[in-house]
Amino acid sequence: MSDDRKRILVVDDDVMQLNNMKKILKEFYDVTAVNSGKSCIKFLENHQCDLIFLDFLMPEESGAQVFYKLRDNPKTKDIPVVFLTGVTEKKVVVKTLTELKPAGYIVKPASKKDLVNKIMDILG
């Protein structure tokens, strides 16, 4: 991988979703996929990334809990986070965006167009 590729971390407990996103994005981005919030935090202890796609509903730690940990850490507080969610109820989505203020959200299953458009909006 060349050093000028943007580094994206995908966090989701669904292995099929991780594999799908990695397959979609690997052509243009350096993609790392992990299956839990704990793995996300551990990965970021020794690696950097430009953007995080974070599943909102996960067992053990929710996406919101991981998001707060990222924001509390000076090393990760400025990394843009986009929630991946199967929740489509507008009221819930608006509440999440208003309270947590992520860089955005994408409804799963994520399409290549939605993913690339969101990345381009955030990273250029």
Side-chain angles (χ1 to χ4, degrees):
M1 304 272 167
S2 75
D3 288 338
D4 61 344
R5 288 168 70 103
K6 297 292 185 185
R7 295 163 308 224
I8 297 176
L9 177 60
V10 181
V11 185
D12 199 310
D13 60 310
D14 181 339
V15 175
M16 286 179 52
Q17 178 74 13
L18 287 176
N19 291 337
N20 184 47
M21 288 187 65
K22 194 164 187 170
K23 187 172 97 177
I24 289 171
L25 299 173
K26 72 180 180 182
E27 181 180 354
F28 300 107
Y29 304 100
D30 181 3
V31 182
T32 300
V34 298
N35 66 358
S36 70
K38 188 180 283 188
S39 297
C40 167
I41 300 299
K42 187 143 189 76
F43 175 82
L44 291 170
E45 287 174 4
N46 299 309
H47 300 88
Q48 294 182 333
C49 71
D50 298 298
L51 176 68
I52 300 170
F53 284 108
L54 178 60
D55 185 12
F56 190 69
L57 297 174
M58 293 188 291
E60 294 180 37
E61 281 185 307
S62 71
Q65 290 171 310
V66 175
F67 182 85
Y68 283 123
K69 286 182 178 182
L70 294 169
R71 291 299 170 254
D72 285 343
N73 183 337
K75 193 173 167 186
T76 60
K77 70 180 180 70
D78 295 323
I79 301 171
V81 174
V82 174
F83 281 121
L84 299 168
T85 182
V87 177
T88 56
E89 188 181 329
K90 190 172 179 109
K91 187 177 174 182
V92 174
V93 171
V94 169
K95 182 176 188 249
T96 300
L97 294 174
T98 304
E99 289 179 4
L100 301 179
K101 297 182 178 42
Y105 79 98
I106 292 178
V107 175
K108 296 192 290 186
S111 72
K112 183 175 185 173
K113 179 183 174 199
D114 288 344
L115 291 170
V116 171
N117 283 343
K118 185 57 73 179
I119 294 167
M120 295 301 286
D121 285 349
I122 296 169
L123 299 179

